[in-house]
Amino acid sequence: MATLSISGISNEHFPQFEAIFREHYRLTYRTAYAVTGSAEDAEDVVQTIFLRLLRRGSPPDLKKNPGAYFYRAAVNLSLNAIRGRKRQTLALDQARFDVRPGVEESDSAEEIHRRLYEAVARLESGDAHILILRYAHNYSDAEIAKLLGVARTTIAVRLYRARARLRKLMGAATGDKP
């Protein structure tokens, strides 16, 4: 196998990198896209994850459960990207947010999705993980419980509460009363 070299980064210490990349790229990208709603942000998240992996080598979590490692990394970095995007938007155009309009029938699907992504980013990390696994990846409560190492009933309760919190956050974002 040829050695990959990017700006002085070499995978000689991590020879199986290419195989790991090929195996987990789709999951990582799909997760990042599901959270951010943006192909560009999803690509940035994937690149960041794999570049960090090249720089730092193979962490212990990667060896134990690579799918969970890449999923968790994609969700966390995607939520950070959404939060960063929101901070940047607020800093660039504070006046635009002085008056918040309610959701009207004329609101575009893109605007509603943006509000949804921002609301998900405001959830606790664990709740966001569960919602994304359930609705973006179509995992069952039992599959989520197995992946996260908790009881299925715990997942069901957390999912119920996360949906309620998400509805409340979406209502607050649109100016509706919860």
Side-chain angles (χ1 to χ4, degrees):
M1 175 188 278
T3 300
L4 175 67
S5 180
I6 303 171
S7 301
I9 300 171
S10 172
N11 75 337
E12 289 175 2
H13 67 281
F14 196 15
Q16 68 275 25
F17 178 80
E18 185 176 352
I20 289 172
F21 176 83
R22 289 181 189 276
E23 184 177 345
H24 298 285
Y25 172 83
R26 289 179 51 90
L27 168 77
T28 307
Y29 177 83
R30 194 173 64 233
T31 300
Y33 184 80
V35 176
T36 63
S38 163
E40 294 83 15
D41 287 342
E43 281 293 334
D44 288 346
V45 166
V46 171
Q47 288 176 11
T48 300
I49 290 169
F50 285 103
L51 281 174
R52 285 181 182 174
L53 194 59
L54 265 178
R55 286 185 182 121
R56 297 179 184 159
S58 179
D61 289 353
L62 179 64
K63 292 175 184 174
K64 287 184 210 173
N65 189 345
Y69 173 84
F70 285 109
Y71 168 78
R72 196 169 23 261
V75 170
N76 290 337
L77 281 173
S78 297
L79 291 173
N80 289 343
I82 291 171
R83 291 177 189 128
R85 185 184 333 144
K86 187 173 181 180
R87 279 190 302 272
Q88 183 180 26
T89 302
L90 286 172
L92 293 175
D93 192 7
Q94 184 63 37
R96 179 176 154 212
F97 292 98
D98 288 341
V99 178
R100 280 197 136 143
V103 172
E104 299 175 8
E105 290 182 35
S106 64
D107 280 348
S108 69
E110 184 178 304
E111 177 66 16
I112 292 169
H113 281 113
R114 184 191 61 77
R115 290 179 185 159
L116 176 62
Y117 299 136
E118 289 176 1
V120 168
R122 292 180 59 198
L123 292 173
E124 291 181 21
S125 179
D127 291 341
H129 284 280
I130 291 169
L131 282 170
I132 292 163
L133 283 169
R134 179 68 183 100
Y135 296 107
H137 294 288
N138 295 317
Y139 282 30
S140 69
D141 291 359
E143 291 169 323
I144 297 169
K146 184 178 179 183
L147 182 68
L148 299 181
V150 297
R152 191 202 64 76
T153 54
T154 301
I155 295 300
V157 169
R158 288 191 64 193
L159 187 59
Y160 175 81
R161 290 179 181 165
R163 284 190 305 246
R165 176 82 173 125
L166 189 60
R167 277 192 295 275
K168 186 176 180 180
L169 289 170
M170 287 295 292
T174 61
D176 295 342
K177 293 182 181 176

